[in-house]
Amino acid sequence: MARFLTSLFLGWLALLLPAAAGADGNRLVEARGQSYSASFTAPTADEPSTSVLIWDADLHMALENDAPVLTARFRYEIEDWRYLLPTFGPGDVQVWSPSGETGARLPEEAPRIRPSEVEMMFRFYAPAQNSYVGVSQRIATPGAPGEWVESPPSRPGWDRTFIWLSGINKDAWLSPETARSVWQSELRPEGVEIVQAAWSADELTAFLAENNMRNRAVAAAEAVNRLLDGVTRSFGYEVAAMREDPQRYLEPAFRRGVPIALLRKLERLQNLPNGLKQGDAAAYEQARREAGAIMAAMERAADAGERRGAEPGGNGQSAGEGVDE
């Protein structure tokens, strides 16, 4: 699976939270219109791909039998992106962008790289402790853009409810007694951030491997030239005017089909009558085998491309946070 862990930059927040827990101990935190910029690097790329999400999140904090129950919701839209992905033939990396100004343009129906897992931290200020505490939540499968996804309710116990985000005990869990006290007291929302995300390029990679005919066209041009080498030696024909320039098929970066004229030329050259040979009879047969090998290698590369991914790397780093009260 093509999965990437990301670094991030966090935009300003819009949180709503009661000043204290209700009589039933319940709270609802709502965050809307957050901006998240991620980067993830494919194995053969010199620079990272990027994606900008606009996302919303809810955190429902409830008590059942005097024990905490936490439920999170998450949805997102992809606002901007720039992908650097391995190719399935000539060249190592192809740049893709929405407008095509800083890279090739993907067709509208092509899937985008999207988050496959998200970890969030809801941050609060606890006045009684004069400290910041956090509630961590994980969305295992964020789903499609625009779709709300809710995590299963978690029952962490008081010893795994809040994390110290400041002070000498930073990153440690609050003790059950302190966590219960914090829950029952006034809590002030201070922000929410995506601390880590994993990304999957599987859908896009498979789409390109199946539907992008660019490298198949390049391979067909190379196969034609190899056949023409054999034709010259076995049949004695002058073929200079028939040769192809594989470079001319590198653009556009996304090609919906191999030109019919190129395919017909390839087919004709693969089926010349043996009776017309007047030179090295074996040269043409060798050229046919090598041309077939070129096309087969292209298909193997495309098939492998559907399974090609990146090693996870990078950790989330908050670049800023805020709250509207």
Side-chain angles (χ1 to χ4, degrees), residues 6-27:
T6 68
S7 59
L8 65 91
F9 301 98
L10 182 68
W12 290 95
L13 312 179
L15 289 173
L16 301 177
L17 179 72
D24 56 1
N26 291 355
R27 287 187 172 90

Side-chain angles (χ1 to χ4, degrees), residues 85-309:
L85 297 177
T87 62
F88 309 129
D92 294 327
V93 175
Q94 175 64 54
V95 180
W96 304 95
S97 68
S99 65
E101 295 179 1
T102 59
R105 189 169 187 172
L106 285 171
E108 288 297 323
E109 69 272 21
R112 304 302 186 250
I113 297 177
R114 62 193 196 186
S116 59
E117 182 178 313
V118 170
E119 292 183 24
M120 298 179 291
M121 181 68 75
F122 290 82
R123 179 184 175 97
F124 305 93
Y125 177 66
Q129 285 73 27
N130 191 27
S131 297
Y132 292 96
V133 299
V135 173
S136 177
Q137 288 289 282
R138 175 176 172 266
I139 303 295
T141 308
E147 175 183 301
W148 277 110
V149 174
E150 184 171 303
S151 67
S154 63
R155 294 170 172 80
W158 287 113
D159 60 339
R160 291 292 186 271
T161 298
F162 292 107
I163 300 171
W164 291 112
L165 299 181
S166 64
I168 61 174
N169 294 319
K170 184 179 179 182
D171 297 329
W173 295 102
L174 276 66
S175 68
E177 297 76 15
T178 306
R180 188 188 300 270
S181 174
V182 166
W183 185 290
Q184 294 172 347
S185 67
E186 179 184 353
L187 276 176
R188 190 169 72 207
E190 291 291 334
V192 59
E193 62 179 346
I194 296 175
V195 296
Q196 184 170 269
W199 296 76
S200 174
D202 289 353
E203 280 191 89
L204 177 56
T205 302
F207 175 88
L208 292 173
E210 180 179 355
N211 297 285
N212 189 2
M213 299 293 116
R214 166 191 178 263
N215 291 328
R216 290 178 174 86
V218 173
E222 293 174 346
V224 163
N225 289 342
R226 184 64 194 92
L227 285 165
L228 289 174
D229 292 339
V231 167
T232 298
R233 294 174 60 190
S234 291
F235 295 88
Y237 296 155
E238 175 56 51
V239 298
M242 298 179 63
R243 298 189 70 84
E244 292 285 345
D245 178 10
Q247 297 295 313
R248 67 183 287 236
Y249 296 104
L250 292 177
E251 297 295 337
F254 185 89
R255 184 183 288 274
R256 294 186 181 275
V258 180
I260 295 298
L262 179 60
L263 290 176
R264 287 175 176 170
K265 180 189 289 190
L266 178 62
E267 183 179 5
R268 287 197 302 269
L269 290 172
Q270 288 174 322
N271 296 282
L272 294 178
N274 289 326
L276 297 179
K277 291 180 180 177
Q278 52 184 332
D280 181 356
Y284 174 65
E285 297 306 320
Q286 177 66 24
R288 288 181 62 188
R289 289 192 293 271
E290 293 178 359
I294 290 172
M295 299 304 294
M298 180 64 256
E299 292 303 325
R300 286 196 300 272
D303 182 62
E306 296 187 32
R307 301 184 297 272
R308 185 185 297 171

